[in-house]
């Protein structure tokens, strides 16, 4: 039990409160009189920081200048200008629009002062584009404004700094790379000695893709998987000590889609094509110069390897070929282009001078190729492009006539005829182009197949040839 002595009375509480208040007021007036207001403000801001700092995140900004600190373009600035094209803020009022020769579509960028917000892994990040004139330019405005400073500002909470450096910036760099690849206009490089000593390039706008090429689905999937695996395996090739290159041999009769498949591969990988006509190359040294001038991430295509040039080789010595006019055409001052020169260079020096090289040989006559070209390990994949199968026909009908599935009443008859009659996908495609009406186009195809069937002899020969290719 408490005694009355221990319980403070109400009046004593009041008097204590009054004396504390009087002391505070006295102290406050002392502080106001003694300390100048600058010192007071400083002390107050320290107190405020001590109380709130732990709980209130502040915004900080990274600034990415166009030029890097050590000269040259700043890669993060470049990547940001590509990546930010995919973001748009509701408040964006002015956007900068341009079009470049190297890219498809319009390039839409932020105008100076415009901001856009991004969210990544729970963070909110704000980008702002700033273009300001340098002090020098401002002082003498008549000088032409060459000293513009262009930069992107990235603002975020200070506590996210680690995540921004380790994760968000690498993400922006990767995304920009992917976007650039998708928009890049592919190039087709060709060589002809009459138009100078180097490759001539034009935009490659071939519409063939893996979706449009008509061939066995399993085979198509296998090729796509092979390509995808190849481009992902940089470290693997390094580890096993092999040059990062892959070779494909496409063989089959004319009009079966070899060139279309090359274009589909280039479009799939976004690789440029170097189309080399061996007949235009006269000696090994010229070939070396040309191959060394090819870029990374490219496909070197040598079409009709069996007949484009009469290559003297190790097996055949080349003696009998010297009497061949084609041999003379490819021979200057006693030196000439040789198959071993081509293969050694492709296998050795050239492929180790660059990354992600693909080489494709095409031929109508695999059986005529030099065994050196066919030996295991030289061409990683031999792909047979054959006559039109029922499966390939359905793909073409879907591409050209927009018929899906296999429900058309003529399909049964066409399937039977295709099994007995060799016809190339090119011939089938041509029939389908003749009439916009699907019914009439298919009837035309049935007629063609029947006519071909009647010319049995010719077809039988072709079939024998076809079998020979498949065994090889
Ligand atoms: N498998 C196919 N899938 C889709 N279209 C094809 C196919 N084969 C041929 N075509 C069509 O036929 C035309 C000729 O095909 P392509 O040039 O690819 O044949 P090729 O095998 O390279 O012939 P060549 O041996 O004469 O060079 C192409 O324009 C293409 O439209
Ligand atoms: Mg071709």
């Amino acid at each position: 039990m408490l005694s009355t002595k221990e319980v403070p009375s109400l009046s004593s509480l009041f008097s204590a409160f009054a004396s504390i208040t009087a002391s505070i007021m006295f102290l406050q007036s002392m502080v106001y009189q003694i300390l100048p207001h600058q010192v007071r403000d400083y002390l107050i801001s320290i107190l405020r920081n001590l109380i709130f700092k732990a709980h209130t995140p502040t915004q900080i900004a990274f600034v990415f200048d166009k030029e890097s600190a050590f000269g040259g373009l700043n890669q993060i600035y470049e990547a940001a200008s590509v990546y930010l094209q995919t973001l748009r803020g509701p408040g964006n009022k002015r956007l900068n629009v341009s079009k470049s020769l190297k890219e498809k579509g319009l390039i839409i960028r932020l105008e100076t002062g415009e901001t856009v917000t991004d969210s990544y892994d729970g963070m909110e990040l704000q980008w702002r584009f700033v273009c300001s004139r340098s002090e020098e330019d401002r002082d003498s405005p008549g000088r032409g404004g060459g000293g513009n400073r262009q930069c992107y500002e990235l603002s975020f909470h200070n506590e996210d700094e680690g995540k921004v450096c380790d994760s968000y910036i690498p993400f922006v760099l990767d995304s920009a790379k992917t976007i650039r690849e998708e928009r890049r206009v592919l190039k087709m490089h060709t060589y002809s000695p009459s138009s100078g000593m180097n490759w001539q390039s034009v935009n490659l706008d071939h519409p063939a893709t893996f979706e449009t090429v008509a061939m066995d689905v399993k085979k198509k999937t296998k090729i796509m998987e092979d390509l995808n695996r190849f481009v992902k395996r940089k470290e693997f090739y390094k580890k096993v000590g092999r040059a990062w290159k892959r070779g494909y041999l496409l063989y089959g009769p004319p009009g079966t889609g070899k060139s279309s498949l090359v274009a589909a591969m280039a479009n799939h990988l976004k690789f440029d094509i170097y189309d080399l006509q061996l007949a235009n190359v006269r000696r090994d040294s010229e070939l070396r110069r040309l191959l060394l001038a090819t870029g990374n991430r490219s496909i070197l295509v040598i079409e009709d390897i069996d007949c484009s040039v009469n290559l003297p080789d190790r097996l055949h010595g080349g003696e009998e070929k010297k009497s061949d006019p084609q041999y003379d055409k490819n021979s200057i001052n006693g030196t000439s282009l040789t198959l071993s020169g081509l293969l050694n260079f492709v296998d050795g020096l050239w492929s180790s001078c660059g990354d992600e090289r693909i080489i494709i040989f095409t031929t109508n006559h695999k059986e005529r190729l030099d065994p050196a070209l066919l030996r295991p390990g030289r061409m990683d994949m031999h792909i047979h492009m054959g006559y039109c199968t029922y499966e390939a026909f359905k793909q073409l009908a879907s591409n050209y006539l927009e018929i899906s599935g296999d429900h058309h009443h003529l399909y049964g008859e066409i399937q039977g005829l295709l099994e007995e009659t060799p016809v190339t996908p090119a011939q089938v495609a041509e029939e389908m182009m003749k009439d916009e009406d699907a019914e009439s186009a298919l009837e035309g195809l049935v007629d063609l197949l029947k006519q071909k069937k009647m010319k049995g002899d010719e077809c039988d020969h072709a079939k024998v040839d076809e079998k020979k290719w498949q065994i090889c």
Side-chain angles (χ1 to χ4, degrees):
M1 236 181 112
L2 287 171
S3 67
T4 46
K5 221 178 170 187
E6 287 166 316
V7 178
S9 67
L10 201 62
S11 62
S12 64
L13 276 175
F14 262 125
S15 67
F17 178 74
S19 74
I20 290 170
T21 314
S23 311
I24 290 174
M25 284 171 72
F26 176 71
L27 269 174
Q28 197 182 30
S29 68
M30 286 277 289
V31 165
Y32 268 75
Q33 275 171 25
I34 298 168
L35 295 178
H37 73 93
Q38 289 95 335
V39 179
R40 278 197 323 261
D41 289 350
Y42 177 68
L43 289 175
I44 289 169
S45 79
I46 288 182
L47 264 175
R48 212 177 268 152
N49 270 352
L50 278 176
I51 297 165
F52 294 113
K53 197 178 174 193
H55 307 291
T56 320
T58 51
Q59 288 287 111
I60 59 167
F62 281 176
V63 178
F64 307 113
D65 270 313
K66 190 171 184 177
E67 303 238 331
S68 83
F70 302 105
L73 285 176
N74 179 355
Q75 284 186 21
I76 307 177
Y77 174 94
E78 288 289 292
S81 63
V82 173
Y83 172 68
L84 294 181
Q85 292 171 34
T86 60
L87 301 179
R88 189 74 64 250
N92 289 154
K93 294 196 178 72
R94 273 168 69 80
L95 296 162
N96 185 302
V97 184
S98 58
K99 165 90 184 74
S100 98
L101 262 183
K102 286 187 185 159
E103 292 192 16
K104 295 176 202 156
L106 298 178
I107 302 163
I108 302 177
R109 295 175 189 228
L110 296 178
E111 254 295 1
T112 185
E114 291 285 315
T115 58
V116 75
T117 306
D118 194 12
S119 48
Y120 178 84
D121 197 11
M123 301 184 285
E124 192 167 281
L125 308 113
Q126 193 178 59
W127 286 94
R128 192 160 83 101
F129 178 61
V130 182
C131 179
S132 55
R133 278 204 292 161
S134 69
E135 296 284 316
E136 231 175 81
D137 270 19
R138 239 174 290 165
D139 295 344
S140 46
R143 281 186 26 206
N148 275 356
R149 180 187 179 192
Q150 296 182 9
C151 62
Y152 283 101
E153 276 177 16
L154 174 64
S155 313
F156 50 89
H157 287 163
N158 57 351
E159 58 202 14
D160 290 332
E161 185 174 338
K163 230 179 351 171
V164 168
C165 291
D166 299 341
S167 169
Y168 182 65
I169 292 177
F171 161 77
V172 172
L173 289 165
D174 279 354
S175 307
K177 193 175 161 201
T178 314
I179 297 165
R180 270 197 211 105
E181 283 301 310
E182 274 165 11
R183 293 187 180 166
R184 196 165 72 89
V185 176
L186 300 186
K187 294 275 175 199
M188 158 97 129
H189 306 267
T190 50
Y191 171 69
S192 135
S194 58
S195 56
M197 294 296 280
N198 232 322
W199 297 100
Q200 307 289 308
S201 57
V202 289
N203 287 350
L204 172 72
D205 209 4
H206 201 295
T209 63
F210 273 108
E211 282 78 53
T212 62
V213 173
M215 62 190 287
D216 178 54
V217 173
K218 273 195 204 141
K219 205 187 279 180
K220 202 193 285 193
T221 314
K222 206 171 151 197
I223 301 167
M224 282 169 81
E225 285 173 355
D226 194 75
L227 292 171
N228 294 343
R229 200 176 317 117
F230 169 71
V231 291
K232 275 196 245 146
R233 292 184 107 185
K234 180 177 188 163
E235 290 310 316
F236 169 80
Y237 277 86
K238 205 167 155 188
K239 196 176 83 192
V240 298
R242 285 174 75 116
W244 194 10
K245 76 156 172 92
R246 194 111 183 117
Y248 299 90
L249 173 72
L250 310 189
Y251 64 100
T256 49
K258 296 180 293 301
S259 302
S260 308
L261 182 61
V262 171
M265 287 164 117
N267 283 330
H268 178 72
L269 296 174
K270 305 279 176 211
F271 277 19
D272 285 348
I273 290 182
Y274 288 85
D275 183 9
L276 184 63
Q277 303 280 328
L278 283 184
N280 287 335
V281 185
R282 291 166 191 249
R283 21 181 175 180
D284 286 351
S285 57
E286 195 178 348
L287 180 73
R288 282 200 188 116
R289 185 176 49 75
L290 283 173
L291 293 187
L292 285 173
T294 56
N296 286 342
R297 295 174 65 75
S298 64
I299 300 181
L300 173 71
V301 188
I302 303 182
E303 294 248 36
D304 301 319
I305 181 86
D306 56 293
C307 54
S308 59
V309 70
N310 204 359
L311 293 168
D313 55 72
R314 285 165 299 193
L315 284 179
H316 302 106
E319 279 312 309
E320 81 246 34
K321 292 184 180 180
K322 282 184 183 167
S323 55
D324 187 325
Q326 187 73 23
Y327 179 87
D328 289 328
K329 197 180 144 207
N330 294 294
S331 162
I332 290 176
N333 300 334
T335 55
S336 69
L337 185 66
T338 60
L339 179 64
S340 56
L342 171 68
L343 295 181
N344 287 340
F345 202 62
V346 160
D347 276 0
L349 279 177
W350 170 70
S351 55
S352 57
C353 288
D355 276 344
E356 290 183 276
R357 308 289 195 147
I358 286 182
I359 177 155
I360 301 180
F361 291 121
T362 76
T363 179
N364 296 141
H365 302 281
K366 189 180 174 184
E367 75 285 359
R368 288 191 203 158
L369 292 183
D370 191 285
L373 245 170
L374 299 174
R375 79 157 167 75
R378 188 135 256 160
M379 291 285 117
D380 300 287
M381 227 177 161
H382 293 194
I383 302 166
H384 174 247
M385 300 297 284
Y387 288 113
C388 193
T389 58
Y390 180 54
E391 195 183 351
F393 153 76
K394 282 192 287 181
Q395 169 77 66
L396 291 172
S398 154
N399 295 352
Y400 286 79
L401 306 172
E402 295 179 2
I403 306 174
S404 52
D406 40 350
H407 305 302
H408 196 279
H409 70 97
L410 288 173
Y411 272 22
E413 188 178 5
I414 292 174
Q415 182 175 12
L417 284 163
L418 283 173
E419 276 161 15
E420 297 168 342
T421 322
V423 59
T424 63
Q427 286 167 309
V428 173
E430 204 180 301
E431 274 311 307
M432 290 179 176
M433 298 263 292
K434 282 185 184 162
D435 212 311
E436 277 175 41
D437 176 50
E439 184 75 24
S440 319
L442 290 182
E443 279 166 6
L445 179 64
V446 170
D447 288 346
L448 174 88
L449 290 170
K450 282 181 178 162
Q451 276 173 34
K452 282 193 156 281
K453 197 180 165 197
M454 279 176 34
K455 295 183 193 166
D457 282 352
E458 208 181 297
C459 297
D460 282 348
H461 278 113
K463 269 190 187 164
V464 170
D465 268 1
E466 175 93 336
K467 279 194 183 128
K468 207 160 38 175
W469 272 320
Q470 302 223 28
I471 293 160
C472 281

